Amino acid sequence: MALAARVIPCLDVAAGRVVKGVNFQNLRDMGDPVELAAHYALQGADEITFLDVTATVDARATTYDIVQRTAEHVFVPLTVGGGVREVEDVARLLGVGADKVGVNSAAIARPALIGEIADRFGAQVLVLSLDVKRSAATPSGFAVTTHGGRTETSLDALAWAREAIERGAGELLVNSIDADGTKDGFDLELVRLMREVSSVPVIASGGAGDVSHFAPAIDAGADAVLAASVFHTGQLTVGDVKAALKASGLTIREVAPGDRGGVR
């Protein structure tokens, strides 16, 4: 039986609030993260991802509090990323209720961090976040970027994904900078290429703008689909996306009658 396709709302958090912009610019307040997390859990979200988009010391302390308060009320897996620079950051996030932790820039700066985290906590805890942009300067045509897509590195995205998996990454969160904010759909070529090189689950991110965009990403090889603004604005619900996936013949996790979506 095929594994259920996961639907993951993403909460970009700054100064204790959920925000949304394009490439972290012109951020707009979208609400309280704990309330939104509970709202999406009730809709049937399979997981929830928090990304600390400022990642200063003060913001990181705020994120710990948000994760702890969310974990007390919402019983779906929580992934937290942004500003994770060392193994002890991971330990503290897991200690306040995170189930998985995302790393990006720190792993690019010091790839050995991936193995250190995986050795201590297990590969299943570690999500490698890749902000990917099309580039003629790399063999695959895709490069890894930092700073929300504004700084292109010399790393080939596919080669970096393979290396990170070898070092212990348990999952890939692949965000297309080119598609992000366009609402024209996921970058299906990028998803297909990542699927070809990845032996671990792939989460497709960037570009969701319509309910019809999600099934093609799963068909292209994603194990999960992640979106933010279409959920925050109420344009779509998690249930809408799951219904569309099911109508396309894909397996989803059903929320049983009377199940409150993992919310206390």
Side-chain angles (χ1 to χ4, degrees), residues 6-169:
R6 289 173 286 146
V7 179
I8 307 174
C10 181
L11 308 182
D12 296 323
V13 178
R17 301 289 291 180
V18 175
V19 296
K20 189 58 187 171
V22 177
N23 290 341
F24 305 140
Q25 300 297 306
N26 302 315
L27 299 178
R28 306 185 309 278
D29 188 310
M30 304 301 290
D32 177 77
V34 180
E35 291 179 1
L36 280 174
H39 178 64
Y40 295 139
L42 286 171
Q43 288 183 2
D46 297 299
E47 299 179 15
I48 292 168
T49 293
F50 287 105
L51 295 179
D52 179 349
V53 299
T54 49
T56 63
V57 174
D58 288 343
R60 171 55 66 198
T62 300
T63 301
Y64 291 136
D65 175 65
I66 290 167
V67 173
Q68 184 167 10
R69 288 190 290 121
T70 302
E72 290 171 353
H73 299 285
V74 179
F75 299 103
V76 298
L78 303 178
T79 299
V80 184
V84 176
R85 298 180 180 90
E86 55 190 45
V87 173
E88 288 310 313
D89 293 331
V90 178
R92 188 171 178 188
L93 285 167
L94 296 177
V96 296
D99 297 280
K100 295 186 282 189
V101 175
V103 295
N104 184 350
S105 299
I108 293 172
R110 193 172 69 84
L113 177 64
I114 297 172
E116 293 168 5
I117 295 171
D119 288 346
R120 180 165 170 184
F121 304 107
Q124 76 284 350
V125 161
L126 179 56
V127 179
L128 181 77
S129 182
L130 302 98
D131 289 327
V132 178
K133 181 179 287 186
R134 289 176 179 269
S135 171
T138 62
S140 72
F142 292 96
V144 174
T145 70
T146 60
H147 302 88
R150 295 187 293 277
T151 303
E152 185 175 319
T153 75
S154 60
L155 281 176
D156 182 284
L158 300 186
W160 174 232
R162 281 194 296 264
E163 178 183 346
I165 292 167
E166 290 172 358
R167 288 179 176 274

Side-chain angles (χ1 to χ4, degrees), residues 205-252:
S205 171
D210 184 81
V211 72
S212 65
H213 290 156
F214 293 88
I218 300 294
D219 289 335
D223 299 274
V225 281
L226 179 147
S229 58
V230 290
F231 294 138
H232 301 338
T233 61
Q235 178 183 344
L236 297 176
T237 67
V238 173
D240 293 335
V241 174
K242 287 195 166 188
L245 295 178
K246 187 174 182 181
S248 297
L250 296 166
T251 302
I252 60 167

